[in-house]
Amino acid sequence: MDFTNLSIIRPPETSSTWLLKDRLGAVRVRFSLGRNRYRVDTGLYRLGRPGKDSEVFVTANYKLSFDLLRKNLDGLNAWILVLETHGINVWCAAGKGTFGSSELIRQVQDARLAELVSHRRLIVPQLGAPGVSAKQVKEATGFMVKFGPVRAGDIKAYLSAGYRKDQIARSVSFTFRDRFILTAVELANSVGYLFIAFVLMLLLSGIHSEGYSYELMWMEGLKAGLYLLAAYISGAFLAPLLLPLLPFRHFGGKGMLAGLGIFGLIALLTATEIPPLAMVGWFLVSGALSSYLTMNFTGASTYTSLSGVRKEMGIFVPVQLAFTISGLVLIIISKLV
Amino acid sequence: MCLEVCPHNVFRMAGKQAAIVNRDKCMECGACELNCETGALKVKQGVGCASAVINGFLRGTEPNCDCGSDAACC
């Protein structure tokens, strides 16, 4: 089928080139800004000049997923079929079932793919497999789902190897670089809570044995803010980054250790300034806060399971609560004596 | 097929059958169950995300990431 003479070009065209706005958009959503609205229209796209024999690649309508796919198909003529995943990436959407068999079947039929291509292959990212049953798709559409590599960067090697992938292309990793990129979202997502905690500590900081002092509130409150910030960076940035280097299996344990370590460093540098009771209190609060934040990084990681996270939370949530409450009590007592 | 879809290499071929050799590596994504033609596998599918567990607990539902709505996603 030749589309070049049609006044309305359907399916729309796309290219493998990233424009400045694609680059800026990618950086922006990595900081969680407007991430849920970063979407492309669903349906079929043409990349280059695809024909009857060109491959069909399936992806999600999260713009970053779509962009990474088309960028890695540079130089190929291909069809790209975008599913409605409500702006969620392939893997997360597959877990929820939105990147799933029924949506794939619907899009294949809506695009009348069977009339556009002569082969019957759909290349679906491997991480779409938790939502896509190859058997169901085949029965409903006649198309055979081929689960491609995990990363779009391995697609060309996969094609030239005759739809085969090695163990590396089949496995998800979680490299230092991956973790570094993902911490931006962690840092951005909880920053509101950090601010609330800071305001609360600021208000508490004015308390002393003979009443309340605004001068003290600012003096001590800003120090408290610094300790909170350190624990925040420890839990949402340092511990995720150093994840495999930190001892303990549980994320909560790793985060707690990092939080204790960070506050230990602060205590060493400012030893004479912090009263002993407050110091113990801050150790507890810092450890708990950092532990909680790192525990939340389980959602960003590529290997934690629901049953594992439940087990971990059964241990660490009570510890975090106990540490926070007893830490705050100690800090308040230290102001009153 | 299960070897093909598993992101953590939990399976190995043992003769003509696939065997589970790395059970602890399983992240419970459920890809193998959905794509097992003989129906030999059963996985309680779920997401390994603490925020999702907290969300589910607060609302009295199954763990839910909140992805796809306007709230922040884990």
Side-chain angles (χ1 to χ4, degrees):
Chain A
M1 200 175 292
D2 183 23
F3 292 100
T4 46
N5 295 326
L6 296 177
S7 52
I8 305 165
I9 299 177
R10 287 277 326 158
E13 227 174 331
T14 184
S15 85
S16 58
T17 318
W18 277 30
L19 304 174
L20 183 63
K21 73 172 169 64
D22 300 323
R23 286 171 208 272
L24 293 177
V27 172
R28 178 168 61 85
V29 293
R30 290 299 194 189
F31 282 94
S32 209
L33 298 168
R35 193 156 54 113
N36 285 308
R37 293 180 302 276
Y38 200 57
R39 304 178 185 191
V40 290
D41 290 335
T42 57
L44 195 66
Y45 289 79
R46 295 180 298 145
L47 182 83
R49 299 195 151 268
K52 283 200 168 294
D53 299 322
S54 304
E55 299 291 351
V56 182
F57 294 93
V58 182
T59 191
N61 81 328
Y62 180 38
K63 186 166 161 9
L64 193 55
S65 304
F66 177 76
D67 282 358
L68 283 169
L69 173 63
R70 64 188 176 89
K71 187 182 182 183
N72 281 290
L73 297 179
D74 179 34
L76 294 179
N77 296 312
W79 304 97
I80 297 179
L81 188 62
V82 178
L83 306 192
E84 175 62 88
T85 62
H86 309 282
I88 303 300
N89 68 73
V90 171
W91 204 10
C92 286
K96 295 175 150 303
T98 46
F99 189 99
S101 309
S102 57
E103 169 64 5
L104 179 53
I105 292 165
R106 187 177 74 92
Q107 293 290 354
V108 167
Q109 288 166 347
D110 280 5
R112 304 173 75 167
L113 204 59
E115 297 168 29
L116 292 177
V117 294
S118 52
H119 64 78
R120 289 293 176 264
R121 283 186 307 277
L122 297 168
I123 299 182
V124 174
Q126 185 193 316
L127 295 185
V132 173
S133 156
K135 196 176 167 201
Q136 277 177 29
V137 175
K138 170 101 191 189
E139 280 167 5
T141 65
F143 276 86
M144 186 158 83
V145 169
K146 292 199 169 281
F147 288 110
V150 166
R151 282 165 298 267
D154 292 326
I155 288 174
K156 284 185 181 167
Y158 169 78
L159 292 178
S160 54
Y163 311 103
R164 280 174 201 283
K165 50 190 175 176
D166 59 17
Q167 191 161 319
I168 296 166
R170 258 199 265 135
S171 314
V172 283
S173 52
F174 202 40
T175 63
F176 186 84
R177 189 170 173 273
D178 296 338
R179 298 195 305 273
F180 179 74
I181 291 171
L182 291 170
T183 52
V185 166
E186 299 298 314
L187 285 168
N189 270 356
S190 308
V191 83
Y193 296 112
L194 176 67
F195 185 73
I196 294 170
F198 170 59
V199 171
L200 286 178
M201 287 314 295
L202 199 65
L203 294 175
L204 276 182
S205 295
I207 299 171
H208 60 87
S209 52
E210 281 134 46
Y212 198 87
S213 146
Y214 286 102
E215 197 188 335
L216 201 63
M217 179 187 92
W218 284 113
M219 225 171 64
E220 291 296 311
L222 289 178
K223 277 189 217 162
L226 178 76
Y227 305 155
L228 285 174
L229 183 67
Y232 186 73
I233 292 173
S234 151
F237 182 70
L238 288 178
L241 213 57
L242 304 176
L243 208 60
L245 303 176
L246 293 168
F248 302 123
R249 179 183 152 97
H250 293 306
F251 282 46
K254 292 168 185 286
M256 181 161 294
L257 197 70
L260 294 175
I262 282 286
F263 189 72
L265 202 66
I266 294 177
L268 269 180
L269 296 173
T270 58
T272 49
E273 287 180 35
I274 312 174
L277 266 184
M279 194 180 293
V280 176
W282 272 110
F283 262 115
L284 294 172
V285 170
S286 179
L289 184 65
S290 178
S291 170
Y292 177 78
L293 289 165
T294 309
M295 193 179 76
N296 274 330
F297 197 63
T298 49
S301 85
T302 56
Y303 56 84
T304 51
S305 66
L306 178 58
S307 68
V309 168
R310 276 211 169 112
K311 248 183 244 167
E312 158 158 3
M313 290 177 76
I315 304 167
F316 279 94
V317 171
V319 174
Q320 288 156 3
L321 281 174
F323 271 36
T324 308
I325 294 168
S326 53
L328 284 174
V329 169
L330 285 177
I331 292 168
I332 294 171
I333 292 175
S334 80
K335 294 179 183 305
L336 296 174
V337 292
Chain B
M1 192 58 149
C2 50
L3 274 84
E4 188 88 350
V5 296
C6 178
H8 289 293
N9 300 300
V10 168
F11 305 96
R12 286 272 184 291
M13 286 311 283
K16 283 186 173 177
Q17 280 189 327
I20 298 172
V21 290
N22 267 325
R23 197 189 187 90
D24 285 347
K25 291 251 174 189
C26 174
M27 57 169 293
E28 300 163 14
C29 74
C32 54
E33 181 185 344
L34 192 62
N35 282 289
C36 178
E37 300 217 355
T38 55
L41 283 154
K42 207 92 199 112
V43 180
K44 176 146 180 12
Q45 189 180 6
V47 54
C49 171
S51 315
V53 176
I54 295 169
N55 274 339
F57 177 77
L58 293 177
R59 292 192 205 130
T61 59
E62 284 286 294
N64 188 324
C65 282
D66 245 346
C67 308
S69 66
D70 291 325
C73 171
C74 61

